C-alpha cells in the first residue's frame, strides 16, 4: 500500500480525533490510583468516546474486546481491561486509546505510575517519554524514517534499556494502520523520505530488561520474556512544512 498523503483539511479532521483521544487519556490518568480496576478505566473511556460522537478504534479490531488497551507492569501492549486487574501502589499502567470520527483516526498512549513508584521505574517512564519527544523532533519534510527510529533507539540504549522490535508504529489516516511501518530502531538517513501531509503514529515500547516479548494465551497481551517492566508512549504526528504537528495534544 502506498503512503497516503493528507490535505491540510484532512489533518485538521485528524486533530479532532486526536483531541478526543487526549481527553480520554487525561480522564484515565486522573482516575488511576491503587484499588481501581482496568475495567473501571475502560468504562469511563467508552462513555467519553460515545459522548464525543466518536467510535472506538480498537473495539472489534481483529476481535479485540475493548476500547482501551491496558498493559500492566511487564505487559508491553494489547492488555485487555478486566475487573480482575486491580491497580496497586508501585505499578505502572500503559493505556493506549484510538478513536475514529468523521472517517479519520487518532491514536495515542501513555504509561501512568500508580501511587508511588520506584525511582528506577520512574526513570523507565521518563526515558520512554523522552525518546518519543526525540523522535518527534526529527520529523520534518525531507527527514528519513530511519532518523525517527534511530532517535528512539539511541536514547533508550544509552540509558541501559531496550526497544521492542516486534511491534512498531504506523502511518494513520482513514485507517488506523497505514503504511509506512515505523520501527523504534533504525539507521539515520535510511528508509522512506518524509513528506508534508504524511501522518505517523510514533510509539516507542521500551523494556527495562531484554527486548524479547511473547504473547499470552489470551491471544492479545504481549509481555516481556524476562518479566521486566515495560513502558509505552505514543502520539499521532503530522508532517507539516514547519515540522512536526502533534495531533494528540
Ligand atoms: Mg495506540
Ligand atoms: Mg498505534
Amino acid at each position: 500500500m502506498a503512503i497516503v498523503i493528507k490535505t491540510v483539511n484532512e489533518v485538521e479532521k485528524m486533530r479532532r480525533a486526536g483531541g478526543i483521544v487526549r481527553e480520554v487519556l487525561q480522564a484515565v490518568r486522573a482516575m488511576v490510583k491503587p484499588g481501581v480496576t482496568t475495567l473501571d478505566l475502560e468504562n469511563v473511556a467508552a462513555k467519553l468516546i460515545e459522548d464525543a460522537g466518536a467510535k472506538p478504534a480498537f473495539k472489534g479490531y481483529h476481535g479485540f474486546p475493548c476500547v482501551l488497551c491496558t498493559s500492566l507492569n511487564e505487559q508491553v501492549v494489547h492488555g485487555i481491561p478486566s475487573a480482575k486487574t486491580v491497580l496497586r501502589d508501585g505499578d505502572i499502567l500503559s493505556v493506549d486509546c484510538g478513536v475514529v470520527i468523521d472517517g479519520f483516526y487518532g491514536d495515542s498512549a501513555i504509561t501512568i505510575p500508580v501511587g508511588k513508584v520506584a525511582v528506577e521505574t520512574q526513570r523507565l517512564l521518563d526515558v520512554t517519554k523522552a525518546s518519543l519527544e526525540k523522535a518527534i523532533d526529527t520529523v520534518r519534510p525531507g527527514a528519513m524514517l530511519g532518523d525517527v527510529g534511530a532517535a528512539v533507539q539511541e536514547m533508550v540504549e544509552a540509558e541501559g534499556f531496550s526497544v521492542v522490535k516486534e511491534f512498531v508504529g504506523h502511518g494513520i489516516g482513514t485507517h488506523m494502520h497505514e503504511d509506512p511501518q515505523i520501527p523504534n530502531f533504525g539507521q539515520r538517513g535510511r528508509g522512506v523520505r518524509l513528506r508534508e501531509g504524511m501522518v505517523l503514529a510514533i510509539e516507542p515500547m521500551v523494556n527495562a530488561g531484554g527486548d524479547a516479548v511473547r504473547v499470552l494465551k489470551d491471544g492479545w497481551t504481549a509481555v516481556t520474556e524476562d518479566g521486566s517492566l515495560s513502558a509505552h508512549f505514543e502520539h499521532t504526528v503530522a508532517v507539516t512544512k514547519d515540522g512536526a504537528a502533534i495531533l494528540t495534544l
Side-chain angles (χ1 to χ4, degrees):
M1 189 171 83
I3 297 170
V4 181
I5 299 297
K6 282 80 181 176
T7 65
V8 169
N9 187 39
E10 288 169 337
V11 169
E12 286 314 305
K13 288 186 179 185
M14 295 190 72
R15 194 187 293 278
R16 187 170 165 218
I20 295 167
V21 171
R22 193 69 203 155
E23 256 182 61
V24 170
L25 291 179
Q26 282 177 341
V28 166
R29 184 202 295 279
M31 281 180 73
V32 162
K33 61 178 185 187
V36 167
T37 74
T38 52
L39 187 64
D40 296 333
L41 306 177
E42 162 75 13
N43 290 337
V44 166
K47 177 79 164 56
L48 282 173
I49 293 168
E50 191 186 350
D51 288 352
K55 291 260 185 298
F58 300 168
K59 192 167 185 169
Y61 185 83
H62 295 285
F64 189 79
C66 292
V67 309
L68 297 179
C69 295
T70 52
S71 306
L72 188 66
N73 295 330
E74 78 285 358
Q75 297 177 356
V76 179
V77 286
H78 306 158
I80 301 170
S82 166
K84 291 182 196 152
T85 306
V86 183
L87 302 181
R88 294 191 172 80
D89 194 48
D91 285 343
I92 55 171
L93 183 71
S94 297
V95 181
D96 196 344
C97 181
V99 308
V100 56
I101 188 165
D102 204 9
F104 285 88
Y105 284 79
D107 188 8
S108 182
I110 55 176
T111 300
I112 307 163
V114 182
K116 188 157 171 49
V117 302
V119 171
E120 184 64 3
T121 304
Q122 186 62 49
R123 195 172 73 85
L124 175 69
L125 305 195
D126 294 345
V127 167
T128 308
K129 187 160 187 264
S131 76
L132 172 59
E133 287 160 2
K134 286 262 189 215
I136 292 171
D137 282 345
T138 69
V139 171
R140 59 184 163 71
M144 310 297 275
L145 206 53
D147 303 347
V148 177
V152 173
Q153 184 176 23
E154 285 165 10
M155 166 143 210
V156 166
E157 292 182 353
E159 295 287 343
F161 299 133
S162 62
V163 295
V164 172
K165 313 293 193 302
E166 274 102 314
F167 300 102
V168 296
H170 48 93
I172 180 169
T174 56
H175 298 85
M176 184 163 63
H177 293 131
E178 298 184 354
D179 278 344
Q181 292 200 343
I182 306 173
N184 293 301
F185 56 95
Q187 285 180 278
R188 286 179 193 276
R190 296 287 184 88
V192 171
R193 185 177 297 278
L194 302 185
R195 284 176 54 195
E196 186 180 348
M198 289 182 181
V199 184
L200 312 172
I202 304 174
E203 48 180 314
M205 289 149 264
V206 176
N207 296 347
D211 66 356
V213 301
R214 66 188 169 88
V215 175
L216 298 183
K217 286 200 188 90
D218 65 16
W220 285 105
T221 312
V223 299
T224 58
E225 189 75 67
D226 61 10
S228 66
L229 294 175
S230 188
H232 180 208
F233 284 86
E234 176 180 27
H235 274 308
T236 298
V237 178
V239 185
T240 77
K241 62 181 188 325
D242 303 319
I246 302 175
L247 305 182
T248 38
L249 279 182

PDB file of all heavy atoms in Angstrom, residues 58 96 107 203 234, ligand 1:
ATOM      1  N   PHE A  58     -10.316   0.490  18.595  1.00  0.00           N
ATOM      2  CA  PHE A  58      -9.758  -0.835  18.920  1.00  0.00           C
ATOM      3  C   PHE A  58     -10.849  -1.886  19.068  1.00  0.00           C
ATOM      4  O   PHE A  58     -10.640  -3.051  18.725  1.00  0.00           O
ATOM      5  CB  PHE A  58      -8.957  -0.800  20.231  1.00  0.00           C
ATOM      6  CG  PHE A  58      -7.784   0.151  20.241  1.00  0.00           C
ATOM      7  CD1 PHE A  58      -7.136   0.445  21.442  1.00  0.00           C
ATOM      8  CD2 PHE A  58      -7.315   0.753  19.083  1.00  0.00           C
ATOM      9  CE1 PHE A  58      -6.047   1.309  21.469  1.00  0.00           C
ATOM     10  CE2 PHE A  58      -6.229   1.627  19.104  1.00  0.00           C
ATOM     11  CZ  PHE A  58      -5.604   1.909  20.308  1.00  0.00           C
ATOM     12  N   ASP A  96      -3.501   2.681  26.041  1.00  0.00           N
ATOM     13  CA  ASP A  96      -3.489   3.024  24.618  1.00  0.00           C
ATOM     14  C   ASP A  96      -4.937   3.212  24.194  1.00  0.00           C
ATOM     15  O   ASP A  96      -5.804   2.402  24.545  1.00  0.00           O
ATOM     16  CB  ASP A  96      -2.836   1.863  23.846  1.00  0.00           C
ATOM     17  CG  ASP A  96      -2.417   2.236  22.436  1.00  0.00           C
ATOM     18  OD1 ASP A  96      -2.872   3.272  21.919  1.00  0.00           O
ATOM     19  OD2 ASP A  96      -1.642   1.460  21.847  1.00  0.00           O
ATOM     20  N   ASP A 107      -4.650   8.151  17.553  1.00  0.00           N
ATOM     21  CA  ASP A 107      -4.087   7.017  18.310  1.00  0.00           C
ATOM     22  C   ASP A 107      -2.996   7.564  19.219  1.00  0.00           C
ATOM     23  O   ASP A 107      -2.087   8.265  18.752  1.00  0.00           O
ATOM     24  CB  ASP A 107      -3.513   6.020  17.280  1.00  0.00           C
ATOM     25  CG  ASP A 107      -3.054   4.699  17.862  1.00  0.00           C
ATOM     26  OD1 ASP A 107      -3.300   4.450  19.058  1.00  0.00           O
ATOM     27  OD2 ASP A 107      -2.462   3.911  17.095  1.00  0.00           O
ATOM     28  N   GLU A 203       5.444   5.344  18.328  1.00  0.00           N
ATOM     29  CA  GLU A 203       5.098   4.731  19.616  1.00  0.00           C
ATOM     30  C   GLU A 203       6.195   3.837  20.192  1.00  0.00           C
ATOM     31  O   GLU A 203       6.126   2.615  20.082  1.00  0.00           O
ATOM     32  CB  GLU A 203       3.784   3.971  19.522  1.00  0.00           C
ATOM     33  CG  GLU A 203       3.608   3.017  18.360  1.00  0.00           C
ATOM     34  CD  GLU A 203       2.232   2.336  18.422  1.00  0.00           C
ATOM     35  OE1 GLU A 203       1.837   1.872  19.506  1.00  0.00           O
ATOM     36  OE2 GLU A 203       1.565   2.257  17.374  1.00  0.00           O
ATOM     37  N   GLU A 234       2.874   7.127  22.954  1.00  0.00           N
ATOM     38  CA  GLU A 234       2.548   7.263  21.532  1.00  0.00           C
ATOM     39  C   GLU A 234       1.854   8.587  21.263  1.00  0.00           C
ATOM     40  O   GLU A 234       1.003   9.018  22.036  1.00  0.00           O
ATOM     41  CB  GLU A 234       1.602   6.124  21.115  1.00  0.00           C
ATOM     42  CG  GLU A 234       1.112   6.214  19.668  1.00  0.00           C
ATOM     43  CD  GLU A 234       0.167   5.069  19.294  1.00  0.00           C
ATOM     44  OE1 GLU A 234      -0.500   4.524  20.197  1.00  0.00           O
ATOM     45  OE2 GLU A 234       0.110   4.735  18.101  1.00  0.00           O
TER      46      GLU A 234
HETATM   47 MG1  LIG B   1      -2.012   3.169  20.045  1.00  0.00          MG
END
